[in-house]
Amino acid sequence: MKFLFDLFPVILFFAMFKWGEGNVVAAQELAGRYLSGLVSGGVVTAAQAPILLATTVVIVATLAQIGWLLARRKKIDAMLWVSLLIVGVFGGATIYFHNETFIKWKPTVLYWAFAAVFVISQFVLKKNLIKKMMGEQIDLPAALWSRLGVSWSIFFVLMGFLNLYVAFNYSTATWVNFKLFGGMGLMLVFVLGQSLFLSKHMQEPK
């Protein structure tokens, strides 16, 4: 459920972009009505409408996530605040300059922020985030916890580079598809690999 909750803005981004692609006239009219006052020059073209609407939706969805958690008095993860900051800055720049380059950088900046948090926590603060999240359920040697933390850092760095490669070597529509299906698929494969790694070492005698 938490995975789906975290993925909620990405799903809405994808859905709005695809709707805008398939309904160009309606998308331009909608974007012109609600976003013309936010973009420089005040004009949204038909080509720009889908990505601008999708960007607006992902900002609103992220705000809605935090609002929902606050209303339920739930703890808000620090990375959700970071995500809001990044999507607000890069999404806002995308809308104002009506330039999709900014929102295409957003996943990479977020991935690299995740990587930085893992690295700083593990090597500067001497706190392993993976152990902090899973230490009560799993008993592993310190060296293995360290390997898990490093592997997550490397994964996020590589995902950041991969996002840039797809974003600036393929069409925006292809990048949007990759953002949801490619990113989610690679994340699931990586998590499965980590689970198999943990299962293997949990079965080994201590």
Side-chain angles (χ1 to χ4, degrees):
M1 288 300 295
K2 186 179 185 306
F3 178 75
L4 291 176
F5 180 79
D6 293 339
L7 200 61
F8 177 66
V10 180
I11 294 173
L12 291 184
F13 179 89
F14 174 83
M16 177 54 77
F17 182 84
K18 291 302 180 183
W19 176 84
E21 269 196 320
N23 301 272
V24 178
V25 175
Q28 185 180 13
E29 181 182 348
L30 185 64
R33 182 184 306 166
Y34 294 105
L35 301 179
S36 60
L38 300 177
V39 302
S40 61
V43 177
V44 178
T45 66
Q48 296 165 350
I51 194 68
L52 295 189
L53 288 172
T55 300
T56 303
V57 164
V58 81
I59 294 173
V60 172
T62 306
L63 283 169
Q65 282 182 313
I66 291 178
W68 187 81
L69 290 172
L70 288 174
R72 294 174 61 86
R73 299 187 178 182
K74 299 285 187 179
K75 180 181 178 181
I76 300 175
D77 293 337
M79 290 314 298
L80 184 54
W81 287 114
V82 172
S83 179
L84 176 62
L85 174 63
I86 293 173
V87 77
V89 171
F90 286 85
T94 294
I95 295 169
Y96 179 75
F97 294 106
H98 36 93
N99 187 335
E100 63 192 33
T101 297
F102 295 100
I103 198 63
K104 286 182 174 180
W105 265 94
K106 178 261 176 183
T108 290
V109 173
L110 188 59
Y111 285 135
W112 288 351
F114 287 154
V117 168
F118 274 100
V119 170
I120 292 171
S121 296
Q122 183 163 330
F123 296 104
V124 178
L125 303 179
K126 306 300 181 182
K127 295 181 180 180
N128 189 293
L129 294 182
I130 303 297
K131 183 178 181 180
K132 184 177 180 180
M133 290 185 289
M134 305 176 63
E136 294 183 1
Q137 292 80 33
I138 303 172
D139 183 21
L140 293 175
L144 292 183
W145 285 121
S146 180
R147 284 174 59 184
L148 286 172
V150 170
S151 68
W152 274 100
S153 301
I154 293 173
F155 173 74
F156 283 128
V157 169
L158 293 178
M159 285 294 292
F161 281 115
L162 182 58
N163 174 71
L164 291 181
Y165 175 77
V166 175
F168 297 107
N169 287 278
Y170 295 91
S171 67
T172 299
T174 299
W175 172 74
V176 170
N177 290 334
F178 170 79
K179 182 175 165 62
L180 178 60
F181 300 110
M184 181 177 64
L186 290 171
M187 179 70 75
L188 289 174
V189 169
F190 182 75
V191 169
L192 177 59
Q194 295 284 285
S195 299
L196 293 175
F197 173 84
L198 290 173
S199 298
K200 174 184 176 183
H201 289 280
M202 286 173 62
Q203 292 169 0
E204 292 180 352
K206 297 182 173 61

